[in-house]
Amino acid sequence: MELFESLKEKIDGKNIKIVFPEALDQRILGAAVRLKAEKLLVPILIGNDVEVKQSAKEHGFDLSGIEIIDPKTYDAFDEMVNSFVERRKGKATEEKARELLLDENYFGTMLVYMDKADGLVSGAVHSTGDTVRPALQIIKTRPGVSRTSGAFIMLRGRGQEKYLFSDCAINVNPNAQELAEIAVESAKTAKMFGIEPKVALLSFSSKGSASSPEVDKVAEATKIAQELAPQFDFDGELQFDAAFVKTVAEQKVPGSKVAGEATVFVFPELQSGNIGYKIAQRFGGFEAVGPILQGLNKPVSDLSRGSVEEDVYKTAVITANQAIMEDE
Ligand SMILES: CC(C)(COP(=O)(O)OP(=O)(O)OC[C@H]1O[C@@H](n2cnc3c(N)ncnc32)[C@H](O)[C@@H]1OP(=O)(O)O)[C@@H](O)C(=O)NCCC(=O)NCCS
């Protein structure tokens, strides 16, 4: 079954609540209405009731049955303020909390934190920083994970070719420990989405063929990752061809459990990760699904501002899947 068909089946009728803070946007409204009509999830829109309904009317959408919450009139706002101040432990005064929680991303993220919703999808209008920062501050990473990171599922040919690339979205220059955690979280995400993880930590060197501090970092991260998660196979540092092409692997790294058949590709820092997934997408014809933020206590997804309605729809389906898979 195609990836999205199976992901939709998993959430069908489960009434998973997903918050959409950017409720005035046509792409968000279109996706929310479709997701509700198909009973895939329960959308919660954030914004002023009159303005959201006006925007829906202008774009020809019927919002009946969809909940709209306005931070300005939310009846549990005081409870939310207290919970935020408590969570930020001295980093925000009550006054600051009242101001921040009028922002739709902070407000929406608090709904998720307070278990009034299961996940959040934003970023069609906001930058990555504005979308992700509330999640980092409020929802935070799971125990044992110091950095959240962004993975892409790369699909080609009706999903026959399915790989995971990370971190392509968040950490500008992770150190060895952080890179190791990214590799471990990537293995878990891959498994969650039906990819048997064989994790390659990428470099411009394969097993000592070149030497530099950048290469040493990747080699060290590989060791740490293997210690952190012995249940998965990691190898590094590996060049992309050694990781992906069997004949090259046999020449460059004979005996590796990963080289030549890697399914999860971990980039050494954000520039190569972000460039790498875009090359696979634009030259290679892969569909890039994500970024899927990994390692958070509850799922929050950051859309690209170039997203179309279909991207919002698919991202919400993934986010809802993360919500149930993380509970399992
Ligand atoms: C994600 C990002 C926005 C966070 O930036 P920031 O707000 O400047 O982060 P700060 O250093 O001020 O930290 C804010 C909080 O988030 C936490 N945090 C920051 N990065 C984190 C990460 N990767 N994982 C987990 N927590 C993180 C900090 O510990 C801090 O928590 P605290 O306030 O409770 O102490 C930043 O790393 C970034 O801009 N990354 C690049 C994103 C990008 O441009 N991607 C392009 C392609 S999509």
Side-chain angles (χ1 to χ4, degrees):
M1 203 191 293
E2 256 197 276
L3 176 70
F4 274 95
E5 291 314 309
S6 90
L7 292 179
K8 284 201 258 181
E9 201 166 86
K10 283 190 186 132
I11 56 172
D12 193 5
K14 294 219 164 78
N15 294 327
I16 298 158
K17 292 185 181 162
I18 299 294
V19 182
F20 295 90
E22 300 166 323
L24 296 178
D25 189 274
Q26 179 180 3
R27 298 160 294 172
I28 299 285
L29 288 169
V33 166
R34 245 175 97 194
L35 290 157
K36 157 96 174 134
E38 293 173 18
K39 296 194 173 52
L40 289 176
L41 51 85
V42 178
I44 300 174
L45 303 177
I46 307 301
N48 174 276
D49 196 73
V50 176
E51 286 171 14
V52 174
K53 285 186 177 146
Q54 180 60 32
S55 175
K57 200 171 155 201
E58 277 164 21
H59 296 114
F61 297 120
D62 174 9
L63 293 187
S64 32
I66 296 185
E67 186 177 12
I68 302 170
I69 306 182
D70 183 352
K72 289 203 180 95
T73 56
Y74 183 54
D75 53 10
F77 196 76
D78 287 346
E79 183 197 337
M80 187 183 268
V81 167
N82 292 339
S83 172
F84 182 81
V85 171
E86 160 87 32
R87 183 64 168 166
R88 294 300 292 144
K89 290 199 181 76
K91 289 185 177 164
T93 59
E94 187 189 323
E95 195 189 349
K96 185 73 188 163
R98 286 190 183 280
E99 181 194 316
L100 279 178
L101 292 175
L102 291 176
D103 171 271
E104 57 271 30
N105 279 327
Y106 272 96
F107 181 85
T109 306
M110 276 306 287
L111 287 182
V112 178
Y113 173 64
M114 295 170 77
D115 287 331
K116 316 251 184 222
D118 303 297
L120 174 141
V121 174
S122 186
V125 182
H126 294 87
S127 69
T128 295
D130 289 344
T131 304
V132 168
R133 198 171 296 110
L136 300 180
Q137 293 178 348
I138 300 165
I139 292 182
K140 302 194 183 185
T141 47
R142 283 199 301 268
V145 182
S146 65
R147 314 297 290 173
T148 186
S149 50
F152 282 86
I153 299 177
M154 306 298 292
L155 299 170
R156 192 164 66 176
R158 291 185 61 80
Q160 283 109 328
E161 285 180 88
K162 196 157 77 164
Y163 305 105
L164 190 119
F165 281 18
S166 73
D167 173 6
C168 307
I170 305 289
N171 298 281
V172 176
N173 196 8
N175 63 28
Q177 173 71 34
E178 291 164 350
L179 189 59
E181 286 178 13
I182 292 169
V184 171
E185 289 307 305
S186 303
K188 291 183 194 163
T189 305
K191 215 170 156 59
M192 221 189 251
F193 290 99
I195 300 169
E196 196 45 49
K198 283 185 179 275
V199 187
L201 286 91
L202 299 176
S203 172
F204 59 86
S205 161
S206 296
K207 300 290 206 176
S209 64
S211 91
S212 84
E214 289 79 6
V215 171
D216 295 345
K217 176 182 90 168
V218 180
E220 194 191 338
T222 309
K223 270 197 218 124
I224 301 171
Q226 197 65 76
E227 281 162 22
L228 288 174
Q231 72 274 30
F232 298 123
D233 289 328
F234 299 90
D235 204 1
E237 84 290 350
L238 291 175
Q239 287 161 287
F240 184 81
D241 57 351
F244 189 64
V245 182
K246 233 182 167 70
T247 49
V248 179
E250 279 160 8
Q251 270 213 329
K252 291 191 176 179
V253 272
S256 165
K257 281 191 188 164
V258 170
E261 43 192 87
T263 53
V264 175
F265 299 90
V266 178
F267 291 84
E269 40 70 56
L270 188 54
Q271 297 207 60
S272 53
N274 192 267
I275 295 166
Y277 99 81
K278 288 187 177 171
I279 290 179
Q281 183 185 35
R282 303 289 173 172
F283 273 1
F286 277 85
E287 180 185 0
V289 179
I292 299 168
L293 292 187
Q294 33 186 34
L296 289 172
N297 282 311
K298 289 187 143 204
V300 167
S301 292
D302 172 35
L303 296 162
S304 153
R305 278 174 281 182
S307 297
V308 293
E309 182 188 305
E310 183 69 11
D311 298 319
V312 181
Y313 174 89
K314 285 185 168 172
T315 302
V317 167
I318 288 188
T319 312
N321 267 273
Q322 281 181 290
I324 46 168
M325 290 194 240
E326 279 161 12
D327 282 349
E328 278 165 4

